[in-house]
Amino acid sequence: MSVRETAEKIKSMEIRGAGRIARAAAEALRDQALSVKAPYQAAFRQEMENAAGILVATRPTAVSLPNAVHFVMAELTGAKTAEEARSGVVRRAEQFIQSSQHAVEKIAGFGARHIRDGDTILTHCNSEVALACIIEAHRSGKEIEVFATEVRPRNQGLITIRTLNDAGIKTNFIVDSAVRSFIHDVDLVIVGADAVTVNGAVVNKIGTSQVAHTAAEARVNVIVAAETYKFAPRTIVGELIEIEERPPGEVLADEIAKNLTHVTVRNPAFDVTPAEYIDLIVTEQGAIPPQMAYVIIREYLGWDIGEFHSSSALHNGQDE
Ligand code: RUB
């Protein structure tokens, strides 16, 4: 798929969820590298950097997106010819896609170990990797039940309940505001992440922090399932994760809103759950307490602090 098509699909949320967005960006960069005709390395690199910029600018919150782009583009600087650069991009894009899928499988295995036979699990939004943990627990023979939230305004909960239903897992579908009413029926909360900061805070679908706060109050453990490429290196130098605010029409129809002249509709797509409300983050490298997020960024993402100031392809205009 072309870079423009992929970018449009990410913006409109036809492609959504932090892992899928990252893989789609890697695929688009691979296809772009194969189709760019530039005969010289400098021109090839310029075209690839433009493509990377378009992809990174689509949605600002999921750190998996700039991390994937950074990974795929890493050898462009050192390549001497356009051919060398092209094969570097293609190889790394394929490596990213494969290792991302592998990471989901590993996390499913690790996460399922934290689910006990007889547990009732609550999940919010639609996270591929959180669901993979739940489905793996079910597959391994554990008797489990799930509460899934609706997830206003985009109703990602519908995707979640279809997946759980297809897997044959007993599921309760609730509106977002019913979480506190049911929290005492729940043994464990499992959600995904769009970003994990150096201090272990987790950025995920709006409402996640309310769910986690409610769970903490009820002494219910909260597990976050997140591949290491969702950890945010730039938070080491104090940068905040930008919270995407989406169009008000997703919350209230424009024809109703237009008559309510004193009303402003706010539609943040994500919120921040502090580390204190999270018991464990399950990554493909193993499960860590949120306070160990720095280790993941340093050991597994391999970012060098100097890159924060030099890799313009990753900047989405909000980071400067
Ligand atoms: C999706 C969302 C998901 C994370 C993790 O938000 O918040 O919980 O992206 O998903 P949106 P995954 O629907 O706005 O993209 O585990 O699939 O990467």
Side-chain angles (χ1 to χ4, degrees), residues 13 16-19 59 127-129 156 193-194 204-205 230:
M13 291 176 60
R16 52 147 300 282
R59 291 190 79 189
S127 158
E128 175 188 29
V129 68
Q156 287 92 331
D194 283 83
N204 192 48
K205 180 52 54 195
K230 291 173 182 166

Side-chain angles (χ1 to χ4, degrees), residues 140-153:
S140 68
K142 291 175 189 167
E143 195 76 41
I144 56 169
E145 183 170 340
V146 176
F147 276 80
T149 50
E150 185 181 25
V151 196
R152 278 272 293 149

Side-chain angles (χ1 to χ4, degrees), residues 10 15-27 29 52 55-73 96-97 99-100 103-104 128-129 192-197 203-204 225-234 241-242 270 284 301 303 314 316:
I10 295 174
I15 299 173
R16 52 147 300 282
R20 289 190 174 92
I21 289 173
R23 286 195 290 275
E27 268 172 37
L29 288 174
L55 290 165
V56 170
T58 51
R59 291 190 79 189
T61 303
V63 169
S64 53
L65 175 57
N67 279 351
V69 169
H70 177 264
F71 182 87
V72 172
M73 303 277 284
F96 179 84
I97 295 162
S99 65
S100 154
V104 174
E128 175 188 29
V129 68
D194 283 83
V196 181
T197 69
V203 182
N204 192 48
E227 305 90 308
T228 51
Y229 55 81
K230 291 173 182 166
F231 285 62
R234 295 174 76 88
I241 304 291
E242 188 193 347
F270 302 96
E284 72 277 17
L301 288 179
W303 275 65
L314 298 184
N316 59 15

